[in-house]
């Protein structure tokens, strides 16, 4: 598939790298290509600047949001939750119409320091807000409940025996995303139904953040045993 | 131990029954004993009326909230989240001072039907509200993330290989509660730190409720694999 990954942070890079290795044609979208390529300092999370990653992944093109999505078959939202709607707006509603969006973002506010606060809860979700802003987009919430490395390499913990979730209003779009997750190695993908299911997975973040502190690693996962 | 269980719903009954079988002296507290004993209809969740359960558990005394907690070593809050502060107030602050409270309740509002809505999120929790209202109580949030049957019989799913959490400001109180959870058969009790950890576990409820619908059973559990 031709896949647009919006966002140049660790989630975007990790997904772009894995998707490329799986044979997809990947474009990473950013607000301003020149600015992203001029970065020399680590980002707010301490990750190396994008150009350092890009040099090791010459097959991944860096483009504007619009160029990334224009002829993509599938779009991945790997931006910060606070920036997601602006990024999609910059990509252009007409380029997004009818496409599947795999939304990995969480509505977290880091402005008050760590841990970040959840900006939306219970009666709404970032996934639904994106869907409301872009009615023609087929939003599927997924992969927002685990660290980037485990998104694409589930075997790295508990031999991959853990759970990921999909929620969305379009069954075909969910099937496409589920297929992608399975291609990463996920074996337990639970379909939570329509996009209101995103509320529960986004609200998992406060516990996830707490567990990361308690366990002193982001390399853990939720497994739904039944 | 002498244990007061506040609340006559399924959670209170299940915990009271199991604690009794473990040799504890249990009193179930209710607002009005005569009213509770006069019930003949199933409750709002479809559970049989309390007297029907009580007849099979003659060793469990039913008393007022105050009588239940007066000489208890440990208090279990098994009331609905909306009713918890009123129940503890009825029990009497002076009877609670210095005691451990195992708080199993969730701040859910069932008034708009199912699924219930979470009344508190992210910047506060029911556990913290109880602690703020009763500063001398040693509140430990636990067992609010799984169905009553699995609270006391973890082996019923995945041979007991799943996770429960404790959060609270008093280490000794957490150790007491952890010991109780282990006596139920729990083998993976994660200490989330101070009582602000209750936010994450209470916010797990929307996902829990969704999973109950998707899986068509409450007999599932979260396991933290790492």
């Amino acid at each position: 598939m031709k896949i647009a990954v919006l966002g140049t942070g660790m989630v975007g890079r990790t997904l772009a790298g894995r998707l490329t290795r799986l044979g997809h044609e990947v474009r990473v979208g950013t607000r301003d290509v020149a600015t992203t390529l001029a970065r020399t300092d680590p980002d707010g999370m301490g990750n190396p600047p994008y150009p350092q990653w890009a040099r090791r992944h010459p097959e991944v093109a860096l483009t504007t949001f619009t160029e990334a999505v224009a002829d993509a078959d599938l779009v991945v939202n790997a931006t910060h939750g606070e920036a997601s709607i602006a990024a999609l707006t910059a990509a252009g509603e007409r380029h997004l119409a009818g496409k599947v969006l795999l939304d990995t973002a969480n509505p977290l506010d880091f402005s008050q320091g760590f841990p970040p606060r959840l900006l939306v809860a219970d009666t709404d979700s970032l996934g639904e807000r994106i869907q409301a802003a872009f009615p023609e987009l087929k939003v599927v919430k997924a992969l927002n409940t685990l660290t980037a490395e485990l998104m694409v390499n589930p075997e790295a913990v508990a031999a991959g025996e853990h759970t990921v979730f999909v929620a969305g209003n379009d069954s075909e779009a969910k099937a496409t995303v589920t297929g992608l997750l399975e291609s990463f190695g996920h074996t337990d993908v639970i379909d939570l139904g329509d996009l209101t299911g995103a509320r529960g997975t986004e609200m998992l973040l406060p516990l996830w953040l707490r567990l990361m502190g308690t366990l002193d690693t982001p390399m853990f996962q939720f497994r739904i045993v039944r």
Side-chain angles (χ1 to χ4, degrees), chain A:
Chain A
M1 278 194 283
K2 289 184 176 177
I3 300 181
V5 175
L6 309 186
T8 57
M10 196 43 72
V11 173
R13 296 176 204 181
T14 305
L15 288 167
R18 177 69 156 137
L19 288 165
T20 303
R21 285 195 301 281
L22 285 170
H24 299 288
E25 191 181 318
V26 179
R27 286 181 178 179
V28 170
T30 190
R31 191 177 347 207
D32 185 305
V33 174
T35 303
T36 300
L37 289 178
R39 282 188 193 132
T40 53
D41 293 328
D43 70 15
M45 308 297 276
N47 303 310
Y50 187 83
Q52 197 168 315
W53 181 85
R55 278 193 291 277
R56 297 198 316 275
H57 298 82
E59 69 288 6
V60 178
L62 183 73
T63 70
T64 62
F65 288 132
T66 303
E67 287 172 286
V69 303
D71 65 346
D73 302 306
L74 183 140
V75 181
V76 178
N77 176 28
T79 64
H80 282 287
E82 286 176 287
S84 296
I85 296 213
L88 290 163
T89 302
E93 186 163 6
R94 70 195 166 89
H95 295 302
L96 296 169
K99 288 179 180 163
V100 176
L101 180 79
L102 163 49
D103 174 29
T104 72
N106 281 302
L108 297 173
D109 169 16
F110 287 83
S111 67
Q112 313 283 314
F114 199 88
R117 288 205 255 164
L118 206 64
L119 292 165
V120 189
D122 204 35
T123 54
D124 201 359
S125 63
L126 176 62
E128 290 165 273
R129 287 187 177 184
I130 291 173
Q131 185 66 79
F134 301 93
E136 310 273 311
L137 197 56
K138 296 168 182 169
V139 179
V140 180
K141 192 88 200 185
L143 294 183
N144 62 312
T145 58
L146 69 174
T147 198
E149 172 61 20
L150 291 177
M151 292 180 189
V152 303
N153 184 18
E155 294 82 1
V157 158
E161 295 208 328
H162 41 81
T163 306
V164 287
F165 308 98
V166 291
N169 300 335
D170 187 289
S171 295
E172 213 174 303
K174 278 194 288 193
T176 300
V177 168
T178 299
L180 211 56
L181 303 185
E182 289 171 348
S183 76
F184 292 161
H186 290 285
T187 54
D188 187 27
V189 183
I190 295 184
D191 183 346
L192 293 172
D194 71 21
L195 196 54
T196 60
R199 298 174 190 180
T201 63
E202 293 180 7
M203 292 178 80
L204 199 55
L205 265 287
L207 178 60
W208 189 92
L209 289 159
R210 193 79 172 208
L211 283 167
M212 183 177 69
T214 299
L215 304 173
D216 201 25
T217 174
M219 295 296 282
F220 65 88
Q221 242 284 59
F222 295 90
R223 179 178 176 188
I224 307 302
V225 297
R226 65 272 199 192

